[in-house]
Amino acid sequence: PPLLEVENVTRDYSQGGFFSRRPKLRAVDAVSFAIGVGECVALVGPSGCGKSTLARLIVGLDSASAGRMRLEGRQYRGRDLAPLQRASLSLVFQDPFGSFDPRMTIAASLGEPLRLLGPMGRAGHEARLAAAIAEVGLDPAMLGRYPHEFSGGQRQRLAIARAMVTRPRLLVLDEPVSALDVSVRGEVLDLLARLRQEHGLTFLIISHDLDMVAAMADRVMVMDAGRIVETGTPETLFAHP
Ligand code: ADP
Ligand code: ADP
């Protein structure tokens, strides 16, 4: 079976509070698709078309108003994902600055997702953190430091380390390099490509950067006004007649 199946997923937001008479906003509108193991799929579309909402549903940070998803055949609506399933889907947020708590050490931030795996003992916990930080090319001695001590590129590496610490099968990447200086984008993209290969990861990448999408994605889904309006390879979709 596919790694992830999304079937008729809809997400409505109420506008103006619970008692408002305004119609609901349909941010995601009856979306269906599947992603196979090892695929790299890009999700593109204009700002506000529903990409981030869909990403949050898939990783279990929010729940669908209608429809269902399946992870390796197991059905869920969003926040009802069981902890072990949740640990196998990681979201890399768009903003590496906002996603780390400035008052927490890197070790504490990276350790948080490990709670999903249940008790593992201090040595096992520390080994996971050291492996994750080494894997993104940073020094384990940095674990005791705080987010403000790192550059933008380093913080995005840390965000990737935090996403990898539970050893997920699917990474959902929301604009993974758009907040970074052009000079470090290539390095972060190379890191992602290497992790994908070494761990047999599956990627769902949200991006505005069509050059990056063309270079990385096996398949592209175009979203508009909450719907997937086109799907194809980068070659067919971006071909200039
Ligand atoms: P994208 O990621 O493609 O820019 P979003 O998923 O962020 O799009 O937003 C889709 C639509 O849903 C937009 O109209 C946005 O204003 C609306 N929206 C997003 N999050 C919320 C929310 N928490 N409450 C109400 N409306 C929201
Ligand atoms: P609660 O304890 O209220 O159920 P959650 O478990 O949904 O809260 O999430 C706690 C925090 O962990 C969220 O704010 C989110 O930032 C983060 N989180 C949860 N699941 C994921 C995931 N799959 N990928 C990335 N971050 C996640």
Side-chain angles (χ1 to χ4, degrees):
L3 181 63
L4 176 76
E5 294 165 274
V6 173
E7 210 175 285
N8 271 314
V9 163
T10 292
R11 176 66 166 98
D12 293 328
Y13 288 119
S14 51
Q15 306 184 87
F18 188 76
F19 295 106
S20 165
R21 286 164 185 275
R22 288 174 67 195
K24 292 191 183 226
L25 174 85
R26 186 149 287 183
V28 174
D29 187 0
V31 161
S32 299
F33 62 88
I35 301 182
V37 175
E39 259 195 300
C40 179
V41 178
L43 182 62
V44 305
S47 182
C49 73
K51 303 180 299 295
S52 297
T53 300
L54 183 57
R56 290 170 49 81
L57 296 172
I58 290 169
V59 304
L61 290 171
D62 186 20
S63 291
S65 311
R68 66 208 68 78
M69 296 165 285
R70 278 188 213 88
L71 179 66
E72 300 177 295
R74 274 163 302 189
Q75 187 169 313
Y76 66 105
R77 289 183 55 225
R79 295 183 61 89
D80 58 342
L81 260 180
L84 283 179
Q85 286 182 279
R86 184 174 288 221
S88 70
L89 301 169
S90 285
L91 181 63
V92 176
F93 294 95
Q94 175 165 12
D95 179 9
F97 297 82
S99 63
F100 278 84
D101 186 329
R103 298 157 304 179
M104 278 164 59
T105 62
I106 299 304
S109 283
L110 259 55
E112 247 186 341
L114 286 178
R115 284 184 301 176
L116 296 169
L117 302 181
M120 61 167 57
R122 193 189 167 97
H125 182 95
E126 287 179 357
R128 287 277 194 138
L129 298 188
I133 201 163
E135 199 155 54
V136 298
L138 296 175
D139 185 343
M142 292 172 163
L143 283 166
R145 303 225 196 127
Y146 288 85
H148 72 266
E149 301 178 66
F150 295 88
S151 69
Q154 287 175 322
R155 267 189 264 205
Q156 192 59 316
R157 286 174 188 271
L158 291 169
I160 293 165
R162 185 173 57 185
M164 290 295 295
V165 80
T166 55
R167 297 182 187 149
R169 302 204 61 201
L170 174 72
L171 280 194
V172 180
L173 301 139
D174 191 349
E175 299 281 4
V177 295
S178 55
L180 301 179
D181 283 345
V182 176
S183 60
V184 296
R185 284 185 190 179
E187 290 170 25
V188 172
L189 292 176
D190 288 348
L191 168 65
L192 289 171
R194 180 170 62 72
L195 291 176
R196 181 170 165 238
Q197 172 132 53
E198 282 176 9
H199 296 274
L201 282 169
T202 304
F203 278 4
L204 176 62
I205 302 184
I206 296 174
S207 181
H208 280 103
D209 181 345
L210 296 188
D211 288 333
M212 190 259 267
V213 166
M216 289 187 76
D218 303 313
R219 190 152 57 91
V220 183
M221 303 189 297
V222 183
M223 200 167 176
D224 190 33
R227 292 180 158 266
I228 307 258
V229 294
E230 243 184 307
T231 300
T233 62
E235 295 75 30
T236 55
L237 285 179
F238 305 148
H240 299 288

